[in-house]
Amino acid sequence: MSNQKQGEEAMVSSFNDTDHEEREEASKDESDFSLKSFLWHGGSVYDAWFSCASNQVAQVLLTLPYSFSQMGMLSGIILQIFYGFLGSWTAYLISVLYVEYRSRKEKENVNFKNHVIQWFEVLDGLLGPTWKAVGLAFNCTFLLFGSVIQLIACASNIYYIDDKFDKRTWTYIFGACCATTVFIPSFHNYRIWSFLGLGMTTYTAWYMTIASLVHGQVDGVTHSGPAKAVLYFTGATNILYTFGGHAVTVEIMHAMWKPRRFKYIYLLATLYVFTLTLPSAAATYWAFGDQLLTHSNAFSLLPRTGWRDAAVILMLIHQFITFGFACTPLYFVWEKVIGMHDTKSILLRALCRLPVVIPIWFFAIIFPFFGPINSAVGALLVTFTVYIIPALAHMLTYRSASARQNAVEKPPVFLPSWTAMYVLNAFIVVWVLVVGFGLGGWASMSNFIKQVDTFGLFAKCYQCPPSASAKHH
């Protein structure tokens, strides 16, 4: 028993030594370039909180009123809270598995100084190559389409300020702008961007809330949701997607000086995000009702003012940041595939990363369906990446008595039993598989196919109001 205890202490000691070395290195940078370090080198719990809160809700903020119109006010509020806590729990599981993996590897004297640990590597180390392949496939596909959604959102938003170009042309332009994220080396370097990004979503959310209340209800407003099962489960899946931003959790943790302190950060980030998503979605749905069913971007209904234009511009900048968040793990995977991950030259790494942006750009032009694509990605990818795989991985990692006994992280204070954790994880797997992937997949794909049939692939201007010339004809 004493040998086992010494082993555990050695693992924890090794982990803390690594944290200390990273902290010392960051401090050395700070003494050399204080301003650069302040803006560029982030690794504290506050940086992680800003990264999680900023990354969790971006363009989806603009589609939540659309979801409320599909499923009704009460369901919208209840499911936001439900999926918010569910997402926080699975982010906690991911953090536990990361700590377990890193502790085991550092016990084997593996050094991660020039290597960013990713989720598929955690799965590989704990459960083997099959899990690695599954994790890699789901995570990369989710992040790819997450980046696609940011480009679509950029084009959709800018159109409400400047409609001299159609949305497809704006997608070309913003694709080029977002490609500059190849120059940001890792999540260490998102400190100032995360801070600004959260300020931008906070402004936009409260602008939507106040502008909707000041505008008041439109004439003859109706709130008929939920009217159809297909719409109800499409909306529910968009909300599931909202709180599924932790495809980058492992990378954010790895960028921390003390990754073990991550445990409850995602929950605290989610609680803050509730203050943005619940009031803005409820107020906008109250004001515009069923009109939102054909306006998946809330900006399209809010009256044009300086306040709205400011919100659009801030969301454009934020979407650039979120594009970088979603793309950076893909950049890491690509660097590892071509053997360039250890390269210290930022310019060389940036050039190597460029091929990752091209398919993202292409998909954004093929499927410009703002709103419906969120639900489709939520049902087919987020369900597994964010909810099912972490819950199953945790159950399998600690299935043996010895694994539970030697676990670096024991069950949390609020759920101190391994049995209770197993029951909760099993519930998540079944619920998300049936409701999220099954019913949500059917509904969101039905809706998505309907958009393709209505607007066609490569739609030039999805859900654009008719131009003045068209009205005369």
Side-chain angles (χ1 to χ4, degrees):
M1 189 71 184
S2 64
N3 286 344
Q4 177 196 316
K5 192 174 180 184
Q6 283 171 358
E8 285 180 20
E9 283 171 1
M11 280 195 287
V12 174
S13 167
S14 163
F15 211 164
N16 288 339
D17 286 345
T18 308
D19 296 335
H20 183 64
E21 283 169 23
E22 288 178 5
R23 190 74 165 91
E24 268 187 353
E25 202 173 294
S27 299
K28 218 180 285 176
D29 287 341
E30 279 176 32
S31 60
D32 294 339
F33 304 98
S34 55
L35 182 63
K36 180 186 171 185
S37 299
F38 174 72
L39 299 175
W40 191 247
H41 290 297
S44 68
V45 288
Y46 302 105
D47 289 306
W49 183 84
F50 276 111
S51 291
C52 289
S54 173
N55 185 47
Q56 193 175 129
V57 60
Q59 47 69 40
V60 78
L61 192 66
L62 307 175
T63 65
L64 284 172
Y66 168 65
S67 297
F68 272 45
S69 71
Q70 293 172 315
M71 59 195 315
M73 185 82 79
L74 183 62
S75 287
I77 292 169
I78 291 170
L79 281 183
Q80 269 202 49
I81 295 168
F82 175 70
Y83 280 124
F85 284 115
L86 222 59
S88 299
W89 174 253
T90 52
Y92 168 77
L93 297 181
I94 290 171
S95 74
V96 168
L97 293 171
Y98 168 88
V99 169
E100 185 70 43
Y101 167 78
R102 185 163 174 177
S103 299
R104 289 183 190 182
K105 285 295 177 187
E106 289 184 352
K107 194 182 176 189
E108 298 166 10
N109 295 319
V110 177
N111 191 315
F112 294 108
K113 190 173 181 183
N114 293 318
H115 183 93
V116 177
I117 298 172
Q118 294 188 266
W119 177 228
F120 69 90
E121 293 167 320
V122 173
L123 292 172
D124 184 28
L126 298 177
L127 297 170
T130 303
W131 278 83
K132 173 187 176 178
V134 170
L136 188 60
F138 274 106
N139 227 42
C140 287
T141 312
F142 169 40
L143 290 168
L144 176 86
F145 279 99
S147 306
V148 167
I149 287 166
Q150 300 313 316
L151 275 191
I152 295 168
C154 284
S156 179
N157 289 346
I158 191 66
Y159 185 79
Y160 297 115
I161 286 185
D162 186 345
D163 60 2
K164 70 181 174 190
F165 295 133
D166 57 66
K167 291 181 183 178
R168 189 168 66 195
T169 304
W170 280 120
T171 305
Y172 292 134
I173 294 166
F174 278 101
C177 295
C178 288
T180 58
T181 57
V182 297
F183 290 101
I184 302 174
S186 75
F187 284 97
H188 269 302
N189 313 116
Y190 272 97
R191 167 174 276 184
I192 190 65
W193 292 114
S194 298
F195 177 76
L196 292 173
L198 191 59
M200 292 164 188
T201 50
T202 300
Y203 171 88
T204 303
W206 285 107
Y207 155 72
M208 286 168 64
T209 306
I210 295 165
S212 296
L213 294 174
V214 169
H215 180 278
Q217 292 185 312
V218 294
D219 292 338
V221 67
T222 53
H223 299 86
S224 57
K228 295 178 182 175
V230 68
L231 292 178
Y232 185 88
F233 287 107
T234 302
T237 312
N238 189 39
I239 292 175
L240 177 144
Y241 170 82
T242 305
F243 297 97
H246 41 291
V248 295
T249 300
V250 170
E251 289 84 358
I252 291 172
M253 279 188 76
H254 191 82
M256 292 176 70
W257 295 314
K258 295 184 178 178
R260 295 188 68 177
R261 296 176 66 186
F262 182 88
K263 283 188 286 189
Y264 304 120
I265 285 174
Y266 199 89
L267 174 62
L268 296 174
T270 299
L271 293 175
Y272 180 78
V273 166
F274 281 152
T275 69
L276 307 182
T277 58
L278 289 167
S280 60
T284 310
Y285 177 51
W286 169 82
F288 298 100
D290 290 348
Q291 284 188 21
L292 285 156
L293 288 168
T294 52
H295 295 78
S296 49
N297 187 334
F299 280 150
S300 63
L301 289 174
L302 290 162
R304 181 165 184 180
T305 61
W307 298 103
R308 194 198 73 165
D309 287 356
V312 171
I313 291 164
L314 290 178
M315 285 306 285
L316 285 171
I317 301 168
H318 187 269
Q319 274 143 8
F320 164 82
I321 298 166
T322 311
F323 182 93
F325 264 105
C327 252
T328 299
L330 292 175
Y331 295 151
F332 292 154
V333 173
W334 180 244
E335 287 169 1
K336 290 170 186 176
V337 167
I338 62 173
M340 298 297 290
H341 188 58
D342 295 336
T343 306
K344 292 189 177 178
S345 165
I346 291 177
L347 184 60
L348 189 56
R349 286 178 74 185
L351 289 170
C352 293
R353 290 171 167 192
L354 276 174
V356 176
V357 180
I358 294 165
I360 293 168
W361 212 348
F362 186 63
F363 280 121
I365 293 160
I366 298 177
F367 305 117
F369 310 125
F370 192 83
I373 197 171
N374 286 13
S375 299
V377 168
L380 305 180
L381 299 171
V382 175
T383 47
F384 283 92
T385 305
V386 170
Y387 298 95
I388 294 172
I389 291 175
L392 275 177
H394 189 273
M395 292 166 77
L396 292 173
T397 299
Y398 298 108
R399 64 188 179 278
S400 68
S402 61
R404 293 193 293 274
Q405 198 172 14
N406 296 321
V408 179
E409 290 285 345
K410 302 299 182 186
V413 179
F414 59 86
L415 201 69
S417 154
W418 284 103
T419 306
M421 288 187 78
Y422 265 68
V423 169
L424 178 55
N425 288 343
F427 167 76
I428 290 170
V429 171
V430 173
W431 175 275
V432 176
L433 199 59
V434 174
V435 178
F437 178 72
L439 295 170
W442 159 73
S444 58
M445 286 312 295
S446 300
N447 190 34
F448 190 80
I449 291 164
K450 183 185 171 190
Q451 304 303 313
V452 173
D453 289 342
T454 306
F455 295 94
L457 299 176
F458 298 98
K460 198 171 182 180
C461 214
Y462 174 68
Q463 286 190 344
C464 293
S467 64
S469 58
K471 284 177 186 172
H472 290 309
H473 295 298

